[in-house]
Amino acid sequence: MPSGYLLHNHCLQSLYRVFAGFFIATICAIPLGIIMGWSRSLRESITPLIEVLRPVPPLAWIPLAILWFGIGFKSSVFIIFLGCFFPIILNTVSGVLSIDSILIDASKTLGATKKDIFLKVLTPGSLPSVLTGLRIGLGIGWMTLVAAEFTGVKSGYGLGYMIMTARDIQRPDEVIAGMAVIGLIGYLLDLLLRGIESRLLIWR
Amino acid sequence: MNVSLELIHLDKTYLSKEDGKEIVALKDIDIKITEGKFVSLVGPSGCGKTTLLRIISGLEKPSGGNILINGQEMDEPWLQVGLVFQEFALFPWRTVRENIEFGPEIKGISPEERGKKAAEYVNWFGLDGFEDRYPKELSGGMKQRVAIARTLINDPKIILMDEPFGALDSQTRVSQEEFLLNLWDRTKKTILFVTHNIDEALSLSQTLIVLSRRPGTVKKIITIALDYPRDVNSDVFNRLRKEIVEYLIEEGM
């Protein structure tokens, strides 16, 4: 391990990658999930594709990621995106499906247009399930971190990268330290999202 | 008097989900309701009462016939008709105030203005102090009042109610009935009220429509010319009750 590469920088770089992947996954998966929950034909045509892609482990995507995005930040974000995307979209779809159809009827009789139904019924109504999806998604995204940093790290920072370097120079103590930090941060992230969840779902 | 709601030869058939057979839910319904009337609809369970309300409110399309509201034909869920659901159908993620504001909000009325309007309804419906509560924190009676307020704030000409007090205990039910009569007296809205409770229908309405069992048709229209509040033990009341029970027994309840 080259000296001067401090642990907190490893953590920050890794968090940055994970949040970038998580963020992109969120803004893609939630709207698409709500539309899929709403439209049966769309749901039936897209679900098989998702179910085929979902079991492919992020590790298997690495060659393609490097081919498409080159070595470095973009590839690792793509791998993390893949980890986050599926739990978020699947939970969003099931959240929309769990909304009592009488609430949609009620909103129609009160004058709601399709857009109103989307924004004011389906979105808040699916929120509990969406938040569960976000929590699982972030957890899996964080888990795919090490694989994501397999795509190569130019800056020399990243917890996964640190573990791999430690392996190469035969330093099991640093490997274990990296694992422990990943575990701890994962736990804290989950705690944070649970906190947000109970704040937002006060009406439940 | 203006005719508020007119149903002309209304039919509703749909395909059964199990075997794809055609089911006739409503057949040749002819009803004319003048403005400001309180009309109840009773009938054996499964006779299509709820379907009829859903058609009048625009949630479902009839298979045949016409619906005229104030003499005009409509083809979209229309705001002249408000529907109050048996299950209240409040948005659980919205507070009492936000539930009541739903209609004005989607009409694009400014937050200040709709807040003011909602406050009037909160006060009128005796919900002061509960504005910021969520539906899960309310009693059944309160939920129902929020549901009625949320419908009424849109100022519909006709209010449809689908067994609105069916889920309430009998004490709450009586006070809600009184509340509804007051509201009707004050707003002069046309009310079409579905119930399976004959006493409730007799206490509240000026006209009582008995539907037959499926396929639902109008079996009998009874005018109740009694003053409010009505004495449920009077001879006229008892005679009417007996008459209606007999109609319903003929239809197999």
Side-chain angles (χ1 to χ4, degrees):
Chain A
M1 178 90 9
S3 61
Y5 281 67
L6 299 175
L7 181 62
H8 73 270
N9 281 334
H10 288 298
C11 296
L12 287 176
Q13 285 288 323
S14 289
L15 280 169
Y16 179 49
R17 290 184 190 108
V18 170
F19 278 126
F22 175 67
F23 178 71
I24 298 170
T26 303
I27 56 174
C28 297
I30 293 178
L32 186 60
I34 293 179
I35 295 169
M36 278 172 68
W38 178 235
S39 152
R40 171 192 282 259
S41 59
L42 209 62
R43 182 164 68 248
E44 284 174 354
S45 54
I46 297 181
T47 304
L49 181 66
I50 288 181
E51 290 302 336
V52 167
L53 290 177
R54 193 164 65 102
V56 179
L59 213 58
W61 283 93
I62 288 177
L64 278 186
I66 293 173
L67 199 62
W68 288 340
F69 300 106
I71 288 173
F73 181 71
K74 279 190 204 155
S75 281
S76 59
V77 169
F78 175 68
I79 297 297
I80 292 163
F81 164 86
L82 288 172
C84 301
F85 182 77
F86 297 106
I88 301 177
I89 195 165
L90 293 177
N91 275 283
T92 305
V93 173
S94 82
V96 173
L97 293 176
S98 73
I99 297 172
D100 193 345
S101 65
I102 201 162
L103 295 179
I104 296 166
D105 287 344
S107 73
K108 281 185 193 162
T109 64
L110 294 166
T113 60
K114 278 210 169 86
K115 183 178 147 232
D116 296 322
I117 295 173
F118 185 88
L119 291 177
K120 295 185 191 291
V121 184
L122 302 182
T123 304
S126 61
L127 191 65
S129 187
V130 168
L131 287 174
T132 306
L134 290 179
R135 201 156 51 74
I136 299 173
L138 186 59
I140 295 183
W142 185 246
M143 264 168 67
T144 53
L145 174 72
V146 178
E149 290 179 355
F150 262 57
T151 57
V153 168
K154 284 179 182 161
S155 65
Y157 281 115
L159 288 166
Y161 183 72
M162 181 184 115
I163 290 174
M164 285 181 293
T165 320
R167 181 192 65 180
D168 293 342
I169 58 172
Q170 297 179 23
R171 286 285 303 272
D173 55 334
E174 277 192 17
V175 171
I176 292 169
M179 289 168 71
V181 172
I182 288 177
L184 185 68
I185 293 178
Y187 173 67
L188 292 176
L189 286 177
D190 193 63
L191 224 54
L192 176 76
L193 278 191
R194 275 179 199 273
I196 294 173
E197 214 174 303
S198 59
R199 281 289 274 288
L200 285 179
L201 300 181
I202 197 162
W203 50 270
R204 262 220 298 204
Chain B
M1 279 295 238
N2 284 335
V3 176
S4 175
L5 172 68
E6 192 171 0
L7 309 178
I8 308 161
H9 302 306
L10 206 70
D11 291 313
K12 178 71 181 177
T13 25
Y14 57 91
L15 296 178
S16 156
K17 274 188 188 128
E18 285 120 46
D19 50 11
K21 269 190 196 144
E22 217 172 62
I23 293 174
V24 183
L26 297 168
K27 202 171 151 46
D28 207 18
I29 301 267
D30 270 303
I31 294 175
K32 212 185 237 190
I33 298 175
T34 48
E35 207 176 308
K37 282 270 181 202
F38 197 130
V39 179
S40 285
L41 205 58
V42 297
S45 52
C47 73
K49 291 172 294 200
T50 297
T51 307
L52 185 58
L53 289 198
R54 289 178 62 84
I55 291 172
I56 300 170
S57 70
L59 287 173
E60 280 181 41
K61 292 210 180 324
S63 314
N66 300 79
I67 306 167
L68 303 182
I69 289 158
N70 293 321
Q72 277 185 310
E73 202 153 342
M74 307 281 166
D75 55 32
E76 277 293 302
W78 34 76
L79 290 174
Q80 288 98 321
V81 182
L83 175 58
V84 177
F85 296 83
Q86 178 178 12
E87 309 87 333
F88 319 128
L90 298 178
F91 303 114
W93 53 86
R94 285 176 165 249
T95 61
V96 166
R97 189 207 316 271
E98 290 166 342
N99 262 288
I100 295 174
E101 278 183 13
F102 187 85
E105 186 182 317
I106 56 181
K107 264 191 245 161
I109 291 170
S110 73
E112 301 84 49
E113 211 174 311
R114 67 184 191 239
K116 241 179 165 174
K117 211 167 169 202
E120 276 170 38
Y121 279 82
V122 163
N123 183 269
W124 176 15
F125 281 73
L127 295 162
D128 292 292
F130 290 89
E131 300 94 322
D132 298 318
R133 298 291 185 88
Y134 288 96
K136 68 160 186 191
E137 301 171 281
L138 305 179
S139 67
M142 279 186 152
K143 282 184 199 167
Q144 192 54 272
R145 269 181 280 157
V146 176
I148 297 171
R150 183 180 66 174
T151 303
L152 213 61
I153 200 169
N154 272 350
D155 199 25
K157 301 273 182 300
I158 305 168
I159 301 175
L160 309 174
M161 304 182 110
D162 189 6
E163 299 199 25
F165 307 142
L168 305 178
D169 62 77
S170 55
Q171 252 174 328
T172 316
R173 177 189 276 257
V174 170
S175 72
Q176 293 295 103
E177 287 169 8
E178 264 170 44
F179 180 80
L180 181 60
L181 280 179
N182 274 327
L183 185 142
W184 172 55
D185 197 43
R186 184 163 155 181
T187 60
K188 310 280 180 235
K189 303 277 183 200
T190 309
I191 297 182
L192 181 58
F193 187 95
V194 163
T195 180
H196 60 256
N197 185 323
I198 297 166
D199 277 15
E200 182 169 85
L202 284 172
S203 314
L204 293 175
S205 48
Q206 297 170 307
T207 306
L208 200 153
I209 300 173
V210 183
L211 289 187
S212 70
R213 70 164 173 270
R214 201 157 72 194
T217 52
V218 176
K219 181 172 171 76
K220 188 76 195 167
I221 296 178
I222 298 161
T223 306
I224 308 163
L226 294 172
D227 288 334
Y228 298 97
R230 290 173 177 164
D231 177 4
V232 294
N233 296 314
S234 67
D235 290 343
V236 195
F237 203 97
N238 282 329
R239 190 169 46 70
L240 284 167
R241 182 191 289 128
K242 201 169 158 235
E243 188 183 336
I244 295 159
V245 169
E246 271 160 18
Y247 288 131
L248 288 176
I249 287 173
E250 277 173 39
E251 292 304 322
M253 283 305 266

